[in-house]
Amino acid sequence: MSEKKAGGGLQGVVAGQSAISTVGVGGIGLNYRGYDINDLAYKCSFEEVTYLLLKGHLPNQQQLNELKTLIWQKRQIPCKLKQILETLPKESHPMDIMRTVASIVGILEPETKPGQEYEISIRLISLFGPALLYWHHYSNSGIKINENTGKDSIAENFLKLYHLKSEIDPLVVKTFDVSLILYAEHDFAASTFAARVTVSTLSDFYSGITTAIGTLRGPLHGGANEAAMQYLEPLRSIPQADQFLNSRYQSKQLIMGFGHRVYKKEDPRSPIIKDFSLQLSKTASGDPTLLAVSQHIEKRMIEEKKIYPNLDFYSASAYKQCGVPTPMFTAIFVISRMTGWGGHIIEQRSNNKLMRPVSDYTGPAKKQFVPIEMRNNANL
């Protein structure tokens, strides 16, 4: 770790080297292995970005076709996992389901030899969505879904399984696919760093992923899109939005979906997902009121607080208009970020050093030991 003294939450401390992504000079911009996020979002599929992050370069057509075939083959949910999913409570949070899936697959299909990282990454990327939705439908209606919808993309497979439809609006599929690209990787974010710390101890791949999922669950990281939708959904007018903001200002509470530890101004991912959320709002099944309220809140936050929306803010309205329930938002983040986590685990293992930082001790000075029979002072 860098000799630089840590700020709050290790902000600004260089904890290692990586060739996977950069947030750019001064925290502006985002690139995956040198490619600008705008090019990737508008010109690539999530599967292409998956290959890029795990293999280090964009695939040619043959490589992409091979990856799509592998994803199709890796969607099958093990029978023992289905049995476990059928026993999990309906009230479980989807993130707890994702963490459980990673752990169970790690038992059923353990990492036994070097060089399995790519295969395991694709297995989890392919399996997470179907497993989550198998649990969802079974726990809510007793339906045992057929998880494989053919050689559909990750995005189309998820949406078909959730909605139990054979056809999905192409704009909805594209929006979902773009969201997966935008959430796929972000340098040493908390969950990624946690995964790297875990595997730096020479622990197994699955342990790194379960660590990452647990870290992502928190509302200050992956859970922020859920938190944003929870306050946006009841707001059905501009006056209601103003009342909400004024109340939060007065109580000095955070407005989830705004601000970022890295980007001091606009998160470069935000205008991309906003674009797709706006497109959805103009369709027959869209929610223009939700977008009007969101834009009003964004305008006030920028003008009055000089705080810009991050990816989570407009992702909330995008997912909502894709018909996805709010509790699943962060679980979708898991599917996407598996690509980044996988790439970072591979990179960490390629030149591994145990991550063992030190703390800045703020406790008491050295004390003289007092035997228990003499401890009359509660402050000893």
Side-chain angles (χ1 to χ4, degrees):
M1 180 171 280
S2 167
E3 294 295 323
K4 180 180 177 181
K5 187 174 180 179
L10 299 181
Q11 184 174 9
V13 174
V14 176
Q17 294 181 321
S18 178
I20 298 175
S21 69
T22 175
V23 295
V25 178
I28 301 172
L30 175 62
N31 301 283
Y32 296 172
R33 297 198 186 273
Y35 291 99
D36 185 86
I37 192 62
N38 284 277
D39 289 330
L40 296 174
Y42 284 104
K43 301 173 184 178
C44 284
S45 66
F46 175 61
E47 285 72 16
E48 289 176 84
V49 172
T50 295
Y51 194 97
L52 170 67
L53 292 174
L54 293 174
K55 290 288 194 178
H57 59 88
L58 286 169
N60 59 33
Q61 191 61 57
Q62 180 180 342
Q63 291 166 335
L64 180 59
N65 291 342
E66 290 172 352
L67 174 57
K68 288 180 178 178
T69 299
L70 183 61
I71 289 171
W72 170 52
Q73 294 169 343
K74 295 290 184 180
R75 279 191 183 130
Q76 192 69 33
I77 306 173
C79 291
K80 289 184 179 180
L81 177 56
K82 286 184 178 180
Q83 292 169 1
I84 293 169
L85 291 170
E86 290 170 11
T87 68
L88 300 180
K90 175 183 176 181
E91 298 76 22
S92 303
H93 192 283
M95 285 297 284
D96 296 334
I97 303 301
M98 302 298 260
R99 188 183 62 236
T100 300
V101 169
S103 292
I104 297 301
V105 177
I107 295 170
L108 299 177
E109 303 170 11
E111 184 180 22
T112 57
K113 58 186 179 181
Q116 289 184 281
E117 295 92 350
Y118 178 74
E119 181 182 349
I120 295 174
S121 295
I122 299 303
R123 174 60 160 152
L124 291 175
I125 292 165
S126 306
L127 181 64
F128 271 141
L132 173 67
L133 296 173
Y134 186 93
W135 162 79
H136 169 76
H137 287 297
Y138 185 86
S139 64
N140 282 279
S141 60
I143 297 174
K144 297 183 180 183
I145 62 169
N146 176 6
E147 65 269 25
N148 213 324
T149 60
K151 293 187 179 182
D152 290 324
S153 67
I154 296 290
E156 194 163 11
N157 174 258
F158 186 98
L159 292 165
K160 284 183 177 180
L161 291 180
Y162 175 72
H163 293 292
L164 297 178
K165 292 181 178 180
S166 58
E167 297 292 334
I168 302 293
D169 182 339
L171 178 57
V172 170
V173 175
K174 179 61 178 176
T175 300
F176 197 94
D177 190 78
V178 166
S179 80
L180 295 178
I181 292 172
L182 297 178
Y183 274 119
E185 162 60 11
H186 211 245
D187 192 38
F188 277 22
S191 58
T192 300
F193 184 66
R196 292 188 73 135
V197 169
T198 297
V199 299
S200 79
T201 70
L202 301 185
S203 188
D204 69 295
F205 189 98
Y206 295 99
S207 292
I209 298 304
T210 53
T211 301
I213 293 172
T215 307
L216 189 68
R217 195 187 195 288
L220 293 184
H221 189 12
N225 50 19
E226 287 185 47
M229 195 63 242
Q230 286 166 359
Y231 72 72
L232 282 170
E233 193 164 17
L235 306 178
R236 303 307 298 170
S237 69
I238 300 303
Q240 286 181 349
D242 283 330
Q243 185 178 16
F244 164 78
L245 273 182
N246 293 339
S247 174
R248 286 295 177 100
Y249 285 177
Q250 188 173 12
S251 60
K252 297 182 179 179
Q253 290 180 276
L254 289 174
I255 311 296
M256 301 306 290
F258 284 85
H260 199 280
R261 293 295 294 270
V262 175
Y263 305 114
K264 301 308 177 186
K265 289 192 175 181
E266 188 173 60
D267 182 335
R269 301 166 297 179
S270 181
I272 300 172
I273 198 63
K274 178 181 178 180
D275 176 23
F276 283 92
S277 191
L278 280 168
Q279 290 183 53
L280 287 172
S281 73
K282 298 172 184 177
T283 66
S285 58
D287 190 342
T289 300
L290 175 60
L291 261 293
V293 165
S294 298
Q295 289 177 293
H296 180 73
I297 291 175
E298 176 192 20
K299 184 173 185 291
R300 282 195 59 185
M301 286 292 289
I302 293 173
E303 291 180 351
E304 297 166 9
K305 298 294 183 179
K306 303 297 186 288
I307 303 176
Y308 292 77
N310 56 44
L311 172 59
D312 293 314
F313 184 65
Y314 279 105
S315 290
S317 57
Y319 284 144
K320 189 68 176 177
Q321 293 179 103
C322 288
V324 178
T326 303
M328 286 191 185
F329 288 5
T330 315
I332 295 168
F333 195 160
V334 171
I335 301 169
S336 169
R337 189 56 63 88
M338 254 309 306
T339 55
W341 293 337
H344 277 275
I345 290 174
I346 292 169
E347 185 176 66
Q348 179 66 34
R349 287 177 166 179
S350 69
N351 185 27
N352 188 60
K353 292 181 181 178
L354 175 66
M355 289 193 180
R356 198 329 190 159
V358 296
S359 66
D360 185 14
Y361 179 68
T362 60
K366 187 175 180 179
K367 294 181 177 182
Q368 183 177 358
F369 179 78
V370 180
I372 191 167
E373 61 271 14
M374 299 176 63
R375 294 177 202 162
N376 298 321
N377 188 338
N379 293 323
L380 286 175

Short mmCIF file of all heavy atoms in Angstrom, two decimals, residues 277-308:
data_model
loop_
_atom_site.label_atom_id
_atom_site.label_comp_id
_atom_site.label_asym_id
_atom_site.label_seq_id
_atom_site.Cartn_x
_atom_site.Cartn_y
_atom_site.Cartn_z
N SER A 277 -33.16 6.08 -20.01
CA SER A 277 -34.33 6.25 -19.16
C SER A 277 -35.32 7.23 -19.80
O SER A 277 -36.54 7.01 -19.77
CB SER A 277 -33.91 6.74 -17.78
OG SER A 277 -34.97 6.68 -16.87
N LEU A 278 -34.79 8.28 -20.41
CA LEU A 278 -35.64 9.23 -21.12
C LEU A 278 -36.32 8.60 -22.32
O LEU A 278 -37.50 8.83 -22.57
CB LEU A 278 -34.80 10.44 -21.56
CG LEU A 278 -34.51 11.50 -20.50
CD1 LEU A 278 -33.44 12.46 -20.99
CD2 LEU A 278 -35.78 12.26 -20.14
N GLN A 279 -35.58 7.79 -23.06
CA GLN A 279 -36.17 7.09 -24.19
C GLN A 279 -37.33 6.20 -23.75
O GLN A 279 -38.38 6.16 -24.37
CB GLN A 279 -35.12 6.25 -24.92
CG GLN A 279 -34.07 7.05 -25.68
CD GLN A 279 -33.11 6.15 -26.42
OE1 GLN A 279 -33.52 5.27 -27.20
NE2 GLN A 279 -31.82 6.33 -26.19
N LEU A 280 -37.12 5.49 -22.65
CA LEU A 280 -38.18 4.60 -22.14
C LEU A 280 -39.41 5.40 -21.71
O LEU A 280 -40.55 4.96 -21.87
CB LEU A 280 -37.66 3.78 -20.96
CG LEU A 280 -36.68 2.66 -21.29
CD1 LEU A 280 -36.10 2.07 -20.01
CD2 LEU A 280 -37.36 1.55 -22.11
N SER A 281 -39.18 6.59 -21.13
CA SER A 281 -40.30 7.38 -20.63
C SER A 281 -41.24 7.84 -21.74
O SER A 281 -42.39 8.18 -21.48
CB SER A 281 -39.78 8.60 -19.86
OG SER A 281 -39.24 9.58 -20.74
N LYS A 282 -40.74 7.83 -22.97
CA LYS A 282 -41.54 8.28 -24.11
C LYS A 282 -42.30 7.15 -24.78
O LYS A 282 -43.01 7.37 -25.76
CB LYS A 282 -40.64 9.00 -25.12
CG LYS A 282 -39.99 10.26 -24.55
CD LYS A 282 -38.96 10.84 -25.50
CE LYS A 282 -38.25 12.04 -24.87
NZ LYS A 282 -37.19 12.59 -25.76
N THR A 283 -42.14 5.93 -24.29
CA THR A 283 -42.85 4.79 -24.85
C THR A 283 -44.19 4.61 -24.15
O THR A 283 -44.46 5.23 -23.11
CB THR A 283 -42.03 3.50 -24.69
OG1 THR A 283 -41.90 3.18 -23.30
CG2 THR A 283 -40.64 3.66 -25.30
N ALA A 284 -45.02 3.75 -24.71
CA ALA A 284 -46.36 3.52 -24.16
C ALA A 284 -46.32 3.02 -22.73
O ALA A 284 -47.21 3.31 -21.92
CB ALA A 284 -47.12 2.54 -25.05
N SER A 285 -45.30 2.24 -22.40
CA SER A 285 -45.20 1.66 -21.05
C SER A 285 -44.28 2.46 -20.14
O SER A 285 -43.99 2.04 -19.01
CB SER A 285 -44.70 0.22 -21.14
OG SER A 285 -43.44 0.18 -21.79
N GLY A 286 -43.81 3.62 -20.61
CA GLY A 286 -42.88 4.42 -19.83
C GLY A 286 -43.57 5.20 -18.73
O GLY A 286 -44.79 5.16 -18.57
N ASP A 287 -42.77 5.93 -17.95
CA ASP A 287 -43.29 6.70 -16.82
C ASP A 287 -42.73 8.12 -16.89
O ASP A 287 -41.74 8.46 -16.24
CB ASP A 287 -42.88 6.04 -15.51
CG ASP A 287 -43.57 6.64 -14.30
OD1 ASP A 287 -44.09 7.77 -14.41
OD2 ASP A 287 -43.59 5.99 -13.23
N PRO A 288 -43.37 8.99 -17.70
CA PRO A 288 -42.86 10.35 -17.86
C PRO A 288 -42.88 11.16 -16.56
O PRO A 288 -42.03 12.04 -16.37
CB PRO A 288 -43.80 10.97 -18.91
CG PRO A 288 -45.02 10.10 -18.91
CD PRO A 288 -44.56 8.74 -18.54
N THR A 289 -43.82 10.85 -15.66
CA THR A 289 -43.86 11.56 -14.38
C THR A 289 -42.61 11.27 -13.56
O THR A 289 -42.01 12.17 -12.96
CB THR A 289 -45.11 11.17 -13.59
OG1 THR A 289 -46.28 11.51 -14.34
CG2 THR A 289 -45.16 11.88 -12.24
N LEU A 290 -42.21 10.02 -13.53
CA LEU A 290 -41.00 9.62 -12.81
C LEU A 290 -39.79 10.37 -13.35
O LEU A 290 -38.93 10.83 -12.59
CB LEU A 290 -40.79 8.11 -12.93
CG LEU A 290 -39.51 7.53 -12.33
CD1 LEU A 290 -39.40 7.81 -10.85
CD2 LEU A 290 -39.43 6.02 -12.61
N LEU A 291 -39.70 10.49 -14.68
CA LEU A 291 -38.56 11.20 -15.28
C LEU A 291 -38.61 12.69 -15.00
O LEU A 291 -37.58 13.31 -14.73
CB LEU A 291 -38.53 10.94 -16.78
CG LEU A 291 -37.54 9.87 -17.22
CD1 LEU A 291 -36.11 10.31 -16.97
CD2 LEU A 291 -37.80 8.56 -16.47
N ALA A 292 -39.82 13.28 -15.02
CA ALA A 292 -39.94 14.71 -14.73
C ALA A 292 -39.52 15.00 -13.30
O ALA A 292 -38.80 15.98 -13.04
CB ALA A 292 -41.39 15.16 -14.97
N VAL A 293 -39.94 14.17 -12.38
CA VAL A 293 -39.56 14.34 -10.98
C VAL A 293 -38.05 14.17 -10.82
O VAL A 293 -37.38 14.94 -10.12
CB VAL A 293 -40.32 13.33 -10.09
CG1 VAL A 293 -39.69 13.24 -8.70
CG2 VAL A 293 -41.79 13.74 -9.98
N SER A 294 -37.49 13.15 -11.47
CA SER A 294 -36.05 12.89 -11.39
C SER A 294 -35.25 14.06 -11.92
O SER A 294 -34.25 14.49 -11.31
CB SER A 294 -35.70 11.61 -12.16
OG SER A 294 -36.34 10.48 -11.62
N GLN A 295 -35.66 14.60 -13.07
CA GLN A 295 -34.95 15.73 -13.66
C GLN A 295 -35.04 16.98 -12.79
O GLN A 295 -34.08 17.75 -12.69
CB GLN A 295 -35.49 16.01 -15.06
CG GLN A 295 -35.11 14.95 -16.08
CD GLN A 295 -35.72 15.21 -17.44
OE1 GLN A 295 -36.94 15.15 -17.63
NE2 GLN A 295 -34.88 15.50 -18.41
N HIS A 296 -36.18 17.16 -12.15
CA HIS A 296 -36.35 18.31 -11.25
C HIS A 296 -35.42 18.20 -10.05
O HIS A 296 -34.78 19.18 -9.66
CB HIS A 296 -37.81 18.40 -10.80
CG HIS A 296 -38.07 19.56 -9.88
ND1 HIS A 296 -38.11 20.87 -10.32
CD2 HIS A 296 -38.29 19.61 -8.53
CE1 HIS A 296 -38.34 21.68 -9.30
NE2 HIS A 296 -38.45 20.93 -8.19
N ILE A 297 -35.35 17.02 -9.47
CA ILE A 297 -34.46 16.80 -8.33
C ILE A 297 -33.01 16.99 -8.75
O ILE A 297 -32.21 17.63 -8.05
CB ILE A 297 -34.68 15.39 -7.73
CG1 ILE A 297 -36.05 15.32 -7.06
CG2 ILE A 297 -33.56 15.04 -6.74
CD1 ILE A 297 -36.42 13.94 -6.55
N GLU A 298 -32.65 16.47 -9.93
CA GLU A 298 -31.29 16.65 -10.44
C GLU A 298 -30.96 18.13 -10.59
O GLU A 298 -29.89 18.59 -10.17
CB GLU A 298 -31.14 15.95 -11.79
CG GLU A 298 -29.78 16.16 -12.43
CD GLU A 298 -29.73 15.71 -13.88
OE1 GLU A 298 -30.80 15.59 -14.51
OE2 GLU A 298 -28.61 15.48 -14.39
N LYS A 299 -31.88 18.90 -11.17
CA LYS A 299 -31.66 20.32 -11.42
C LYS A 299 -31.43 21.07 -10.10
O LYS A 299 -30.49 21.87 -9.98
CB LYS A 299 -32.86 20.90 -12.16
CG LYS A 299 -32.72 22.37 -12.56
CD LYS A 299 -33.90 22.79 -13.44
CE LYS A 299 -33.73 24.21 -13.95
NZ LYS A 299 -33.86 25.23 -12.89
N ARG A 300 -32.26 20.79 -9.12
CA ARG A 300 -32.12 21.48 -7.84
C ARG A 300 -30.82 21.08 -7.13
O ARG A 300 -30.15 21.93 -6.54
CB ARG A 300 -33.32 21.17 -6.93
CG ARG A 300 -34.57 21.97 -7.27
CD ARG A 300 -35.58 21.89 -6.14
NE ARG A 300 -35.04 22.41 -4.87
CZ ARG A 300 -35.71 22.37 -3.70
NH1 ARG A 300 -36.94 21.85 -3.65
NH2 ARG A 300 -35.16 22.85 -2.60
N MET A 301 -30.48 19.81 -7.16
CA MET A 301 -29.27 19.35 -6.49
C MET A 301 -28.02 19.99 -7.08
O MET A 301 -27.09 20.37 -6.37
CB MET A 301 -29.17 17.83 -6.55
CG MET A 301 -30.12 17.11 -5.62
SD MET A 301 -29.70 17.35 -3.88
CE MET A 301 -28.19 16.37 -3.76
N ILE A 302 -28.00 20.14 -8.40
CA ILE A 302 -26.85 20.75 -9.06
C ILE A 302 -26.80 22.25 -8.76
O ILE A 302 -25.75 22.80 -8.41
CB ILE A 302 -26.88 20.50 -10.58
CG1 ILE A 302 -26.68 19.00 -10.88
CG2 ILE A 302 -25.80 21.32 -11.28
CD1 ILE A 302 -26.86 18.64 -12.33
N GLU A 303 -27.94 22.92 -8.88
CA GLU A 303 -27.97 24.37 -8.71
C GLU A 303 -27.77 24.78 -7.25
O GLU A 303 -27.08 25.76 -6.97
CB GLU A 303 -29.31 24.93 -9.22
CG GLU A 303 -29.46 24.85 -10.73
CD GLU A 303 -30.79 25.40 -11.21
OE1 GLU A 303 -31.67 25.68 -10.35
OE2 GLU A 303 -30.97 25.54 -12.44
N GLU A 304 -28.36 24.03 -6.33
CA GLU A 304 -28.38 24.46 -4.93
C GLU A 304 -27.26 23.83 -4.10
O GLU A 304 -26.78 24.45 -3.15
CB GLU A 304 -29.73 24.12 -4.31
CG GLU A 304 -30.88 24.85 -4.97
CD GLU A 304 -32.25 24.30 -4.60
OE1 GLU A 304 -32.33 23.44 -3.69
OE2 GLU A 304 -33.25 24.71 -5.21
N LYS A 305 -26.85 22.61 -4.46
CA LYS A 305 -25.84 21.92 -3.67
C LYS A 305 -24.55 21.65 -4.43
O LYS A 305 -23.57 21.18 -3.85
CB LYS A 305 -26.40 20.58 -3.16
CG LYS A 305 -27.61 20.73 -2.24
CD LYS A 305 -27.25 21.41 -0.94
CE LYS A 305 -28.42 21.50 0.02
NZ LYS A 305 -28.06 22.15 1.30
N LYS A 306 -24.59 21.92 -5.75
CA LYS A 306 -23.43 21.65 -6.61
C LYS A 306 -23.02 20.16 -6.54
O LYS A 306 -21.85 19.82 -6.62
CB LYS A 306 -22.23 22.53 -6.21
CG LYS A 306 -22.52 24.03 -6.25
CD LYS A 306 -22.86 24.49 -7.65
CE LYS A 306 -23.00 26.01 -7.74
NZ LYS A 306 -24.23 26.51 -7.09
N ILE A 307 -24.03 19.30 -6.38
CA ILE A 307 -23.81 17.85 -6.32
C ILE A 307 -24.51 17.21 -7.52
O ILE A 307 -25.69 17.47 -7.77
CB ILE A 307 -24.34 17.25 -5.01
CG1 ILE A 307 -23.70 17.92 -3.80
CG2 ILE A 307 -24.07 15.74 -4.97
CD1 ILE A 307 -24.23 17.44 -2.47
N TYR A 308 -23.78 16.37 -8.25
CA TYR A 308 -24.28 15.78 -9.49
C TYR A 308 -24.77 14.35 -9.27
O TYR A 308 -24.30 13.66 -8.36
CB TYR A 308 -23.17 15.79 -10.54
CG TYR A 308 -22.78 17.16 -11.03
CD1 TYR A 308 -21.98 17.99 -10.25
CD2 TYR A 308 -23.21 17.63 -12.26
CE1 TYR A 308 -21.63 19.26 -10.68
CE2 TYR A 308 -22.86 18.89 -12.71
CZ TYR A 308 -22.07 19.70 -11.91
OH TYR A 308 -21.73 20.97 -12.35
#
